[in-house]
Amino acid sequence: MPSVDVTWLEGLPNHAFGATFGLPWHQGQLNPSQTNFSCLDNNGVDVPIQTRILAYWQDGSIKWTSHAIAGSAKPQDGYNIQANTVVQCNASLSHETKGSPQLIVSQDHLKSVIRVQTGRIEVLFPISGSTIIQSIKSIGGKVTGANGRLVLLSQSDPIMQSISNQHEFKSQIDEVVIEQSGPIRAVIAVKGKHHSNTENDDSHIPWLPFVLRFYLYANSSCIRMMHTIVYDGDMNKDFIRGIGVRFDIPLQAERLFDRHVRISGVSGGVLSEAIQGVTGLRRDPGIEVRDAQFRGRPTPSLETWESSVSSRLQWVPSWNDFSLTQLSADGFTVRKRTRSTCSWVNIPGGTRSDGLIYLGGATAGGLAVGLKDFWERYPTGLNIRNAVTNAGEITVWLYSPSSEPLDMRQYHDGLNQKTYDEQLDALNITYEDWESGTGTPYGIARTNEIYIFSLDETPDQKMFSTLAQYIRAPPILLPTSETIYQTKALGSNWCPTTYLNSLCPKSSTILTNLEFLFRFYKSQVSQRRWYGFWDYGDIMHAYDNDRHTWRYDVGGYAWDNSELSPDLWLWLYFLQTGRADVYRMAEALTRHTGEVDVYHIGAHKGLGTRHGVQHWSDSCKQARISNALYRKYFYYLSGGDERVGDLLQEVLDTDTTFLVLDPYRKVRKDKETYKADSTRLSLSLGTDWAAMASAWSIEVERRGSRWKEAEKKLLASIEGIGNLANGFVTAIASYNIQNGSISPPAQDPLNKGVVQISHLSAMFGLFEVCADIIDCFPSPVTSKFEHAWLEYCRYFNGTSEEQISRFGLPFGKLQLRQGHSRLTAYAAARLGDKTLAKRAWEQFYLEDRYGPEDGYGIDTPWVSNPVDTEKALVRLDEANWVSTNITALYGIAAIQNLALIGEDNSN
Amino acid sequence: MPSVDVTWLEGLPNHAFGATFGLPWHQGQLNPSQTNFSCLDNNGVDVPIQTRILAYWQDGSIKWTSHAIAGSAKPQDGYNIQANTVVQCNASLSHETKGSPQLIVSQDHLKSVIRVQTGRIEVLFPISGSTIIQSIKSIGGKVTGANGRLVLLSQSDPIMQSISNQHEFKSQIDEVVIEQSGPIRAVIAVKGKHHSNTENDDSHIPWLPFVLRFYLYANSSCIRMMHTIVYDGDMNKDFIRGIGVRFDIPLQAERLFDRHVRISGVSGGVLSEAIQGVTGLRRDPGIEVRDAQFRGRPTPSLETWESSVSSRLQWVPSWNDFSLTQLSADGFTVRKRTRSTCSWVNIPGGTRSDGLIYLGGATAGGLAVGLKDFWERYPTGLNIRNAVTNAGEITVWLYSPSSEPLDMRQYHDGLNQKTYDEQLDALNITYEDWESGTGTPYGIARTNEIYIFSLDETPDQKMFSTLAQYIRAPPILLPTSETIYQTKALGSNWCPTTYLNSLCPKSSTILTNLEFLFRFYKSQVSQRRWYGFWDYGDIMHAYDNDRHTWRYDVGGYAWDNSELSPDLWLWLYFLQTGRADVYRMAEALTRHTGEVDVYHIGAHKGLGTRHGVQHWSDSCKQARISNALYRKYFYYLSGGDERVGDLLQEVLDTDTTFLVLDPYRKVRKDKETYKADSTRLSLSLGTDWAAMASAWSIEVERRGSRWKEAEKKLLASIEGIGNLANGFVTAIASYNIQNGSISPPAQDPLNKGVVQISHLSAMFGLFEVCADIIDCFPSPVTSKFEHAWLEYCRYFNGTSEEQISRFGLPFGKLQLRQGHSRLTAYAAARLGDKTLAKRAWEQFYLEDRYGPEDGYGIDTPWVSNPVDTEKALVRLDEANWVSTNITALYGIAAIQNLALIGEDNSN
Ligand SMILES: [Ca+2]
Ligand SMILES: [Ca+2]
C-alpha cells in the first residue's frame, strides 16, 4: 500500500482553512481504476480528502494526484496519503469520514445563484449581473459580507484633463462555471468583463476581461480568490487608475462603538480601531468597556458605563472612512476621516503592510479581506468607507487610485528606427530588438491572490495578526524532495541534497555556490526593489558594473523574461533543497513570467516577449518565453493550480502565431518575398520546438481536452526530427502546423544534412523536454529521436575533429559551454560513458576554455561586496561577475550534472 | 580681552559655506561704542568676521552678538572670537583681513536687480516680476542656474472635478529688501504673493503670501533660502496640490552624454545618471568614457571612443525627465522617462531620501538644490524636466503634486455642538474646545529651509553625498554651555551638566531620568511617525494606554502645541547638556510651534491654538501658545535667525486680539452682555501676561523698532502687578491695551485683594519671564513686583495655613505640584531659605502628595517597554506612565531646581 507523507512548507501554520497539494507517483504503480486514496494525520486520525488525478504516465498509471483537505481548527504537522488498491473504483472519488464536514454546492431552482455551503459559511454566487458574491453568511446566520464586486477606474489621458475622461467600471459576469465540486473543496470560476458603471454609457466599451476563481473548503470560513485580468486596452488611451475588490459589510445591528476596524501593519502588526472610540477620553467609561473595545468584544451594556461618558457619546466623533495606502515598496500611510466633507487625519504609518483589512461588529462580525504580496505589488491600498452607515464597505486595491495612473505606453518613441537594418544596428548597441507597433501590452495578464475571511465576531489582535501571516505565506503541504525524486515524476535530472555526498569537495563546493547564487538573487530582489504591480516576481538580466546598478534602463538587459530559463534554475533548486524561501521566490517568478511576459489574447497570443526595459517592449515575441515547462513544476506541486492550468493549455496554439509574426522577419534573406506557409513553416528545433513539445507533452500527461491532438503532433515531430539527416544539428526545419510533422528545411529538400548550431537552442527547456520524452515514451517511438538528441549532446561541446568527422563541418566557437555541459553529462549517463562524464565536468568547470559568456570559471570570486554608500541610492551589495544568463545555466547544469554523473572521483 | 570659543555642534563638517552664530556676553562687560570683534581659528589664523549686536543688557552693555564667517575650503574645528576694547567704534563693524574674500552687494543703475557677489558666485535678484533669482553665475562666468521661481498648484475641490478647477500660480514679487549686507554675509528678503500663472486670469486672487530670505556668504557657492508661506486660503475651496521651488539649468553647451543627474538616496546614498548613458551597453565605448561618465567628468573626445558605440549613439535613448517622490516618511520611488508622451521607467527606490538633486553638465556645471528635513516633511519631491533640451529644469517640491491635495478642512463637522454649554460639555469628554468657525488654518505659516549649490562642474559621488549630509544637518557653530551659563544671558535657572555633582545620588538620578525622557520622545517621533508637511517638529500631548497609541484622534489630547512648555524643556535640556540631538529636536519643535501653531495674519494674528487633532482645530486661541519665550533660545543661539526674529515681533500686538476674541467668552458670567473695553481688558496675569511680557522684554533687549513702546508697557504692567493687593494671586486683572497698565479686576475696584489660583498660570513661561525681569531690571523698578512674584512662589505649594494666614483663604487642591516646585526653589534661592529649598525638593519628589496630575512620583518606572507586535501597526516602545504635560514640567523643574538649589545634602 504505497503512501506519501506531506508536511507544511513553513512549519505548522496557525490556521488551516483547507489546503490542496500535489503528489507524484511511480510509473506503473497505481492503476486509476483500481486505486482510491485515504489520509491519516500525524496522530493516526483519519482525515477526509478529495482527490483528483492531475497527470498520467504513458502507460496509463497515475503520475500526479491532487488532494484537498478540509479546514481544521487543529492542523497537524503532517499527513500521510495512502493509495489503496481496490477492485474497481474511480481514483478521483473522495475519501470521506463519517460525520466529517462536507462542502455542498447547489443551485436554486431558478439557477440564478450557485450556493456553496462549507459547514462554516454559506456563499452565494450569482451567475449573472455585476455582483460576484451576493452574500457570505455564517452558520449562525450572520451575513458577514455582501455584494462582492470588482471596481475598475481608468482615464483616457495620462494626466487627468477632465472628469469626462474618467471612467468607472463594474464587473459584468459573462459566465460562472463550477470547475470543481466535492465534499471537501469547490472551485467556482467567474468570467466577465468590466463594463461602464453608468447605465447606457457608451463612453467606453467593456474591457479588461477577468477570470475570478473562488476556492472554498469544507469546514472553512475562508474564501481564496484568484483574480486574473488581461489588459486589452489601448495603451495610449486607457490608463488604469484603480483595480479593486469591494464588499459591503452589514452593520445595522451594531452600535458605533462596537464596530471595529483592523488594518495590517508590519510583520504581524495590527491597527485596532473602533468606529467610535471610547478609550483615551477625558472621562473613563470603565476598564471593562475600554478593554472590550480594544479587543473587539461587545462592550458591556451602556447602563453599566460611567455616565460621564455614556451621557456624552454624542460629542465623540465616529470615523466613517479609513485608508491604508502603500505607494512604494518601503512605506505606507494610514488615515481616517469622520466624513467625506471633512479632512483626513493621519494615523502613524510604517514601512510594509501585510495587506489585510477588517470591518465588522463585535457581535455581528464582518469580513477581513487581504491581498497576498501586498507591498511587493505596490501601489496597493486597503480602504474602508461608510463605516458609520448601515452598509460599511471594504475595498482592497490591487492598484491604488491614490497612485498616479498606470502608464503602459512604450518607454521610448523608436528613436527614428525605421528599417529592419536600423533596428538590427540598434540591437547592436542597446541589445533591444525594437519595432514599431510590437511593444504593446495588449494581451498581457496579471493574477492576484486575495483572501476573504468571514468572521462571526471582531477578531482580537492575535487572531487578526495570524490571519495576516496566513495571507503573507498561505500554508502549503508538500511531499519531500526525496519522495518526488524517487517517483521520477519531475524527471531524474536533479536529485535531493541528501542524496549528494556533501563531504566530497566537488558537491560541497557546488552546493555552496548554488546557495550563494540563490541568496544573492534573493537579496537583489529586496535591495533593488524588484517590486510593483507588473514587475514583482521578475529578476533582471545583466549588471552595469560602472553604475553599480542592474541595467534596468538599457534595452535588452533589463527585465529577464525567463531568458535562458531562470524559472528552471529556481524550481530545480527548490526540488534539490526543499527550501521554503526558494519555493516562494520560484512561485513569484512563475506568477510573473507566466502572466506578464506572455500574451494571452490578440495577435501574439501564446508568445512571450524577449527581455527588455518593459516586460512587453521588445519586438521579439517568442515561444521560448511562454514555454509551458516553466509552469509545470509549480502546477503539479501546487496540486494543479487552475490559473496555471489555463496557461499550460493556452500555449498549445502558439505555433499558429508563426503565421502572423514571422520570428525570422528581420534576418531572413527572402524577407521581401517570404510568405508563411502553414504546412512548411520555419521552426527552430531548439527554442520553438522545445516550447511546443513541452506544451504537447504536458497536455498529453494531463489528459487535457486536446491531448489526442497534442500527442499526434508530438509524435509526428519526434519522428520528423529523428529522420533528419543531422537531427537537432539541422537547427531549423520545416514544420506542418496541421499535424506537427517535421521535414528537412527548404534549402535541403533531399535531407542531405544541414549543419547549423545556435548556442541558445538547448537553453530554453530543450534538454528537459527531450529527456522527458525519452524517459516517458517507449523506445520504438523514440529511438531515432534519442539518437539525434544524444548526437547533439555529444557533439555540441565536442572537438572540431569530432564534429567534422560526423557532420563534415566544425561547429565553430560556441558560447554557454558550462550550460551545455549537462548535455555531455546526459550523454555520458545515457551511454554509460565515463570519458564523456569526465569531459562534462571539464566543460562545467570550463577547464578547457573560459570566456565570460561560457559560464562561471575558476577565477569566479563567489562573493558579493557592499557598494560604497555614495555610489548607489541605498545600501546595496553587488557581485559584478554575476549575470542572470550564466547564473541560470550554472544553476541548472550544476544540479543536473550532480544528478546525472555525480562525483567524478578520478578528478 | 574677553573672548569666546565656538565649535561645531556635530563636529568638523565636510563643507563650510559660511556660518552665523550667536555669542552671549556678561552684563556690563562690553560697551557697544568701545568694542570691536575679531576671530582666530584653532591654528591662530586670523578669520574675518561680520558682527551684529542682537541684544543689550538693561545697562546698555552688549548681551548677544551675531557673527558671520565666510565660506572656507578648510573649515577648522573651532574659532575664538575676541572682543577688543577700542576708543570709539561701532561694535557691529566687520573685522576684515587683508586679501580675504569679500561679499559685494550692489544694484544696477536702473535698480531693477540686486547683485550679490560672493567671490565664488554672482547672484542677481530682480526687485519685481515673478523671477526670484535671475541668474547664478560662477566666477568662471558659467551660468549654473537661472530663472529661479516659486511654483504653486491648487484646486478648488478636494477631489479634482475638472481642469478648470485647477490653478497654477507664480511668485509675484511685492518687495525686495537687503536686510543685511556686509563683507561676509548678506540677507536678501523677497516678499510677495502667488499670482495666477495665466495672464489676465481672474479665476483665483493672488494668495499664499511668501517671504523668502536668501543667505549668501563671502567665498561661498551656496545660497541658503528660507521659504516661508502663510496660508490665507479658504480651507473649503483652496486645496494646495504642490508647492515648489524651480530653477532652469542652461545645458546648451553640453552634449547629452555629458549631462548629469544626481539624486540623493538614503543616508548619503546617491543616484548617478547621465542624460544619455553609455555604460551597460552591448558595446564598450572604452573604460575612460564609462569611468568619466559615472564620475561626472567630461568624456574624452568622441573620436577616441570605440566606434561601435560612437557610430550608434542615435540609438541610445536620452532621458528627459526624472522624479523622486517621497509620499510617506518611509519610502520613496524614483523614475525617469525619455519624453512626456512615453511611459515612466522605475528606478529602484528606497526608504528615506536626503533630499538633494543636481542637474548640470560635466563642463558647464549646474545646480544642486535640496530641502532640509526632506523625508520628515513628506509628501515631498525632487524633479528634473527637459534635460534633453537647452534649458533643463529642477524643481524641489515642498509639497509634492504626486500626493493627494492638501486638505485643511476641519476633521469633524461640529457634532451638533451649538451652544457654549454644549461645547463645554463636549470639552468634558473629548477635551476639545470646539466652536464653529474658529478651527481655521487661515493665518498659519510654514518655513522650509532650502539649499542651492552652484557647481562649476558635475559633482562626483563623494562630493554630492557630502553636500546632502550638509543639508541634512547644516553645520552650526556654538559656544559651550559653560560659556552661556557664565554670562547669564539665557538666565541662571539652569546650569551645565559639568557643574552638577553627578556623583551625588540626586543629580545622578535626575540626569538619568532627563536622559530617559529625551531619548523616549526622540524615539516616539521616529516610531510614531510624527512627520509631515505641517506636523513635523511637534510632539503629542497624551497617551492612550488601551490602544497603545498617542491620542492622535482624541480632541484636545493630540498635537501638543507647546502645552506646558515642552519647548522650554528641550531648550533648557540642550543648554544643560550641549547635545546635538537635543538641539536638532528643539530646533524642529521651534520651527513647528512658532509657525504652524500660531496665526500670523487675520483676526487671530498673534495667538496660538490650543492642543488638538489638527494644529488649528481647537477654538481656544491663546497668547500662551505664541509665547515669544519659546523662540528666544533658538533665536539667540542661531545668531538671530531672521524668520524667528519676525515671529518675536509679530506677537507684540497679541493683546489687541483680546478685543476680537475674548478668551473668557464661553465661561464668563456676563457673556451675554460683555463688551471688550481696550482700557479694561480681563488679562490673565499668568498665561496672557507672561506671553506679553516675554514679547516686550525680548523687544526691549533686542532694541527692536518698537522697544520704547514695549518697555513702557512692560514697566507699566510690572508696576501694576506690584501694586495689586494680592499680586499674582489675583490671577486676572484689568489691562489697558494702550499703555500696558494693570489695575485691580472689575470686581475689586478698591484693590482689597482677590484670591484666585490656576495651576496653569505659571506653566507657560511666567516663571522664566519673572525671573528674567527681576534679574535684568534695577531693584527700584522691580521691588514690589518681585515681592508679588516671591509670594506666588512661596504660597502656591504652601500649606493651607500659610495661604490663609497671608491671603485669608486657602488655595485648595492644585495640580502640577512637581512643575511648581521650581517656584518654591526660586523663592528659596532668592531668599536664601534652606527650609524652602528642602520643601522644594519634597514637592519635586511629590513626597507629601502624589497624583498622576502632579508629576512623576516615586513609583514612576522610568522605563519604556516594547508593545506586543499584534497590538500596534509597527514595532513600538511605549511608556504608559508618560504624559507630555508632566514630562515638560519634570524636565524644566529638574533642570531649574538643580541650578537654583542644587543638592539637598540633608535629604
Ligand atoms: Ca518579465
Ligand atoms: Ca502643533
Side-chain angles (χ1 to χ4, degrees), chain A residues 538 561 592 597 615:
Chain A
D538 209 353
N561 286 20
H592 171 90
D597 298 346
H615 305 283

Side-chain angles (χ1 to χ4, degrees), chain B residues 383-456:
Chain B
N383 276 14
I384 282 171
R385 294 288 182 272
N386 306 330
V388 169
T389 72
N390 284 343
E393 194 182 276
I394 285 187
T395 307
V396 171
W397 289 109
L398 315 182
Y399 191 92
S400 168
S402 296
S403 180
E404 294 184 10
L406 186 52
D407 189 342
M408 300 174 74
R409 293 176 296 178
Q410 288 196 267
Y411 79 98
H412 69 66
D413 62 2
L415 305 164
N416 264 319
Q417 296 174 34
K418 288 185 184 121
T419 65
Y420 283 158
D421 285 346
E422 286 173 338
Q423 292 165 20
L424 293 170
D425 194 46
L427 177 69
N428 255 314
I429 185 74
T430 61
Y431 203 35
E432 178 177 64
D433 199 349
W434 191 86
E435 184 178 345
S436 177
T438 57
T440 172
Y442 185 95
I444 70 165
R446 195 60 161 142
T447 292
N448 279 278
E449 193 163 346
I450 293 150
Y451 288 85
I452 303 148
F453 302 102
S454 171
L455 296 157
D456 264 0

Side-chain angles (χ1 to χ4, degrees), chain A residues 9 132 142 160 246 358 364 383 395 416 522 670 695 739 771:
Chain A
L9 178 63
I132 305 293
K142 295 176 190 172
M160 214 269 271
R246 183 170 289 167
Y358 167 84
N383 276 15
T395 307
N416 264 319
K522 190 179 161 189
D670 58 348
N739 57 22

